[in-house]
């Protein structure tokens, strides 16, 4: 009985770790893209003003 619970918790823990890593990478990539796009907007600010 205890071995079954241990295997279940191990699988759940591994899944949570994988999801956490994926979310960390996606968050980092989206943050970098927002900074780059913000820089491009600031660079082109004089062209965008009326």
């Amino acid at each position: 009985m205890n071995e079954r619970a241990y295997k279940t918790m191990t699988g759940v823990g591994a899944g949570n770790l994988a999801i956490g890593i994926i979310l960390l990478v996606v968050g980092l990539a989206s943050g970098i893209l927002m900074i780059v796009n913000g820089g491009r907007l600031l660079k082109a600010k004089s062209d965008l003003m009326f």
Side-chain angles (χ1 to χ4, degrees):
M1 184 70 172
N2 287 337
E3 183 178 346
R4 195 165 140 193
Y6 177 75
K7 286 183 178 182
T8 302
M9 287 190 290
T10 302
V12 170
N16 286 339
L17 185 62
I19 290 172
I21 291 171
I22 290 170
L23 287 175
L24 181 68
V25 170
V26 168
L28 188 63
S30 64
I32 290 171
L33 285 174
M34 288 195 313
I35 290 171
V36 168
N37 285 331
R40 287 175 56 202
L41 279 173
L42 286 175
K43 185 178 176 185
K45 183 169 72 169
S46 61
D47 296 336
L48 297 174
M49 297 295 248
F50 292 107

